[in-house]
Every structure is written in structure tokens, then in C-alpha cells.
Amino acid sequence: MLTKRFETKLIHSVKKGNLPIRSKVTPIYQTSAFTFDNLEDLEGYYQGEGNYLYSRTGNPNPDELGQMVAAVEGAPTGIATSSGLSAILAGILTVVKSGDHIVAADDVYGGSFHLLHEELKQFGVETTFVSFGDLEQVEKAIQPNTKMLYTESITNPLLRVENLPAVVELAKRNDLITVVDNTFATPFHCNPYELGVELVVHSATKYIGGHSDITAGVVVGREDLVEKARAKVTNLGANVSPFEAWLTTRGLKTLAVRMQVQSSNARKLADALRNNPNIARVYYPFEEEATGFGAMVSIELAKTVDVSQFFRSIGWVKLVPTLAGVETTVTHPLKTSHRALPPEAQEALGITNELVRISVGIEHSEDIITVFEQAIEKSLK
Ligand SMILES: *Cc1c(COP(=O)(O)O)cnc(C)c1O
């Protein structure tokens, strides 16, 4: 069999539809339902003979997105959902029910924290949050009713790289399912399924879509679990629209070229800012030399810099509470993603007023470095 490398799989992982009209790209199946010629065909659908019935239960565009991400993650199958958060919800509900317990990393995405800590708690699912930097703490938090370990391959905003093989080993030893949010690393840099993680979830709103024009999510992983997650998505109405799924697959085809440039630009920016005396600290996974490790860089401005003035001085860089587009953007985690945390938790996690999170884009690396160096110059106290 002809083997395909990552970049090739991005473009050629999914077979074309079997319609007689042979369009080069998959068309948008902007329809809420599908027709049948007769009762036998309808019965065939229920016997698993293919075709589609109703778009909430299945549509070629979301299916293509789920299959494409599965192919590049090295997982057998995948499904698309309406958002990253609904992908996370579907993944979690696939594994736990009322009365079960989850051990989650204490530095997960704010929305995931809220989902676990507020929403799922009301339905009898308890979560203990601990630092996954210390796996002894994780092991100690496991209870007789624990079913799942939940973490992220790279965390937000301090970009801690999870030791996934060690997490998986711990999970397997305790008979737990591991669910990992791979949004920041993307399938280009990290394939948790190949490391033994049973379910991988993504906010496709970020790098997979890549152009800040959709909201979508993906769950990929072990076939039996993904099929259960598919039922959750159908029953909860968490399906993504055909058009958004179509835009997301269009974005996904260029993931490799975008990530190469964005990660390389991020590395150059992180190196340049590391030597700037007005920056107290640069957060970037510098040790991941071989592949680079993503396009997010966080910086802690030194006390010599006026933080408000800095955000007024960043030129063409937009202040926007998302990440992963082709444009370089910044956020202020203390006042956005981590706003709701109690001050002690903010401090414990290192979320200070001086912390700036940068999502590095595809502009020229020298221009990106210059815009930040000038912003710092212009905002010295
Ligand atoms: C944005 C994000 C989510 C939530 O995704 P939505 O598409 O906004 O629902 C989950 N995890 C991480 C790491 C994210 O950055």
C-alpha cells in the first residue's frame, strides 16, 4: 500500500463521494435531511447500508471533517461537533455518568474548568483538579469511582507540555480512560492517540480551522468510544452545520504549511524576546527542538513596562480573546480567560497582570519581532 505522510494525509485522506457529479472538492451538503427512493432504501439506511437520513444524525461535511482529523491524528475514526466545548462534553459523557469521578489538570482551559466544576457537578459528576506536573498528586487523587484522567497536550496560557506517555501509563495501571485536549499542539505537532490516549478532543475553532471564521470541535480516538460520542452529539444536538464543517476542512488542508510557518515564527519571537531586558519571562516549550512546539508564546512583562500602554502600542497586532488564526494576536489572560478564577488560584497558576499571551501568525518573522520590540520601547515607564 502506498504510505502517506502527514502533509499528504491532510489533502488525500478521505475518499470522494459516490455521486455521479464529480466535483474536485466536496460540495457543501446544505440540507437538513436526505431523501429515499422507496421504503426499501429507507430500511437500508437503518440496516447500516450507508446514505444519510437527517443532518443532526449525520451529514457528509461534518463526517469528512471528523475523518480528516482522525486520519492525521493516526486514530481509527472521528466526529465533528458544534464547538470545542461540545466536543469536550461529548468526550466526557462518553466515559462518565452520574456518581463517577474525574481527575483533571488544574491548568485546563477556562471553559473546560467551568464545564467540569459547575455544569457536570450538577449532574453528579465530581472532578478533582490537581497539578499534572506532579503525577504523584494525580495518583493520590484517584478514588474507587474515578473513571477518567483529563488534561491538555500543551496548556494555556503558560504552555506546559504534558508528559503524555507517563499520564497514559498511570491511567492504564489504574484502569482509567485518558481524554486529552490537543487544541494548542494540533495534530501536526502531537498525536496523543498514538501515545495511548483513548479520546482526543479539539477546538477546531483554533488551528484546525485556522482562519478565525468558524466555531467547531472534533473528537477522535478508539472506535467504540467515538461511536458513543457520536450518539451523544446526535442526542444533545451538538452537531456542526455543513457550511462550518466545510470551511473547517478547507482550513485543515493547509494545517501543515500554516503550522510550519507559525511555529517557526513563534520560536524566533520567543528567542528574540528572551533576550529583552524588559521582559521578565518568556514561556515557550524551547526544549522541543526537533519539531518545534506550537505557535503560542506567553511573556511576562518586566515591572519597567506599563501594561496598559503596551496593549495600546502593539500596532497591527489585534487584542482578541481567541488564538490560532493566520494573524498575530494577543490576549491578556488575567482579564479574559482566567478572569473568573479566585485571586489565589490566579497567583498559584502564575496568571499575573504582566502576562501577555501571543498567538503567532504567518506574517514575516522580522515584522512580528519588530512590532513587539517597539511596543515595549513605547511603553517603558
Ligand atoms: C478555545 C478552546 C476550547 C473551547 O473551544 P470552543 O471552540 O471555543 O468551544 C477548548 N480547549 C482549548 C484548549 C481552547 O483553546
Side-chain angles (χ1 to χ4, degrees):
M1 206 181 84
L2 208 56
T3 57
K4 295 186 190 122
R5 291 180 180 78
F6 189 92
E7 291 81 353
T8 313
K9 282 195 244 171
L10 280 173
I11 318 287
H12 297 294
S13 56
V14 176
K15 286 206 183 66
K16 293 288 169 298
N18 53 7
L19 288 182
I21 304 166
R22 298 168 53 119
S23 59
K24 180 167 183 277
V25 298
T26 308
I28 309 169
Y29 290 87
Q30 192 67 29
T31 179
S32 63
F34 300 83
T35 65
F36 295 87
D37 284 343
N38 50 51
L39 285 180
E40 289 71 31
D41 277 0
L42 180 60
E43 184 57 26
Y45 167 81
Y46 286 99
Q47 300 300 332
E49 287 168 14
N51 204 350
Y52 289 94
L53 178 77
Y54 185 63
S55 281
R56 177 164 53 73
T57 60
N59 176 292
N61 299 114
D63 280 2
E64 182 176 61
L65 174 58
Q67 286 165 27
M68 279 174 73
V69 177
V72 294
E73 280 272 13
T77 190
I79 53 161
T81 72
S82 58
S83 67
L85 218 49
S86 63
I88 294 167
L89 176 64
I92 291 174
L93 293 184
T94 295
V95 182
V96 301
K97 58 182 186 324
S98 179
D100 289 342
H101 176 252
I102 298 170
V103 181
D106 61 0
D107 50 0
V108 291
Y109 175 73
S112 310
F113 178 82
H114 186 89
L115 176 69
L116 290 162
H117 188 65
E118 308 285 335
E119 303 294 341
L120 289 173
K121 202 173 181 170
Q122 293 177 36
F123 293 91
V125 175
E126 289 286 337
T127 302
T128 304
F129 293 92
V130 296
S131 165
F132 270 49
D134 176 3
L135 288 180
E136 264 176 43
Q137 270 199 55
V138 178
E139 186 137 35
K140 279 202 195 111
I142 296 172
Q143 305 173 4
N145 62 339
T146 306
K147 293 282 153 56
M148 180 200 291
L149 299 185
Y150 182 84
T151 188
E152 298 173 357
S153 43
I154 305 184
T155 64
N156 171 36
L158 301 184
L159 311 172
R160 183 178 65 79
V161 177
E162 192 63 88
N163 183 350
L164 289 179
V167 170
V168 166
E169 189 277 323
L170 176 63
K172 295 219 188 288
R173 190 150 41 78
N174 290 277
D175 219 6
L176 307 176
I177 298 283
T178 310
V179 180
V180 167
D181 180 336
N182 197 30
T183 301
F184 271 43
T186 84
F188 182 72
H189 287 303
C190 179
N191 300 132
Y193 180 81
E194 293 186 338
L195 301 172
V197 170
E198 284 89 352
L199 280 179
V200 184
V201 292
H202 284 276
S203 171
T205 312
K206 313 295 168 48
Y207 289 106
I208 287 180
H211 296 76
S212 313
D213 50 10
I214 52 94
T215 298
V218 174
V219 184
V220 304
R222 222 173 74 188
E223 205 147 13
D224 58 326
L225 295 175
V226 171
E227 286 318 312
K228 279 191 194 166
R230 188 191 300 278
K232 299 289 174 203
V233 170
T234 296
N235 297 333
L236 295 170
N239 52 296
V240 63
S241 79
F243 179 54
E244 282 188 285
W246 182 86
L247 273 177
T248 310
T249 57
R250 185 165 90 146
L252 177 55
K253 290 173 191 173
T254 57
L255 180 72
V257 279
R258 283 187 282 112
M259 289 316 287
Q260 273 159 21
V261 175
Q262 287 178 259
S263 299
S264 149
N265 283 352
R267 172 77 207 215
K268 287 177 189 159
L269 179 67
D271 280 337
L273 297 184
R274 202 147 56 146
N275 299 318
N276 190 307
N278 295 304
I279 292 185
R281 188 159 173 194
V282 174
Y283 294 92
Y284 188 75
F286 288 105
E287 63 283 3
E288 309 292 335
E289 288 289 347
T291 53
F293 221 109
M296 300 299 297
V297 179
S298 289
I299 56 174
E300 191 175 303
L301 299 170
K303 299 287 182 194
T304 47
V305 181
D306 180 325
V307 176
S308 300
Q309 187 57 34
F310 173 83
F311 279 101
R312 266 184 248 119
S313 309
I314 46 176
W316 46 261
V317 176
K318 290 190 181 100
L319 169 61
V320 50
T322 188
L323 62 117
V326 292
E327 307 92 349
T328 298
T329 60
V330 292
T331 62
H332 190 221
L334 185 74
K335 296 293 180 194
T336 53
S337 53
H338 292 69
R339 192 182 180 98
L341 286 187
E344 315 80 67
Q346 290 168 342
E347 202 184 309
L349 290 175
I351 314 293
T352 64
N353 187 48
E354 286 73 30
L355 188 71
V356 179
R357 193 192 71 186
I358 307 168
S359 171
V360 180
I362 61 171
E363 302 92 344
H364 197 285
S365 61
E366 295 294 323
D367 293 341
I368 300 171
I369 292 168
T370 305
V371 87
F372 283 104
E373 284 177 347
Q374 285 183 356
I376 289 162
E377 283 290 302
K378 285 187 211 151
S379 47
L380 291 179
K381 283 179 188 163

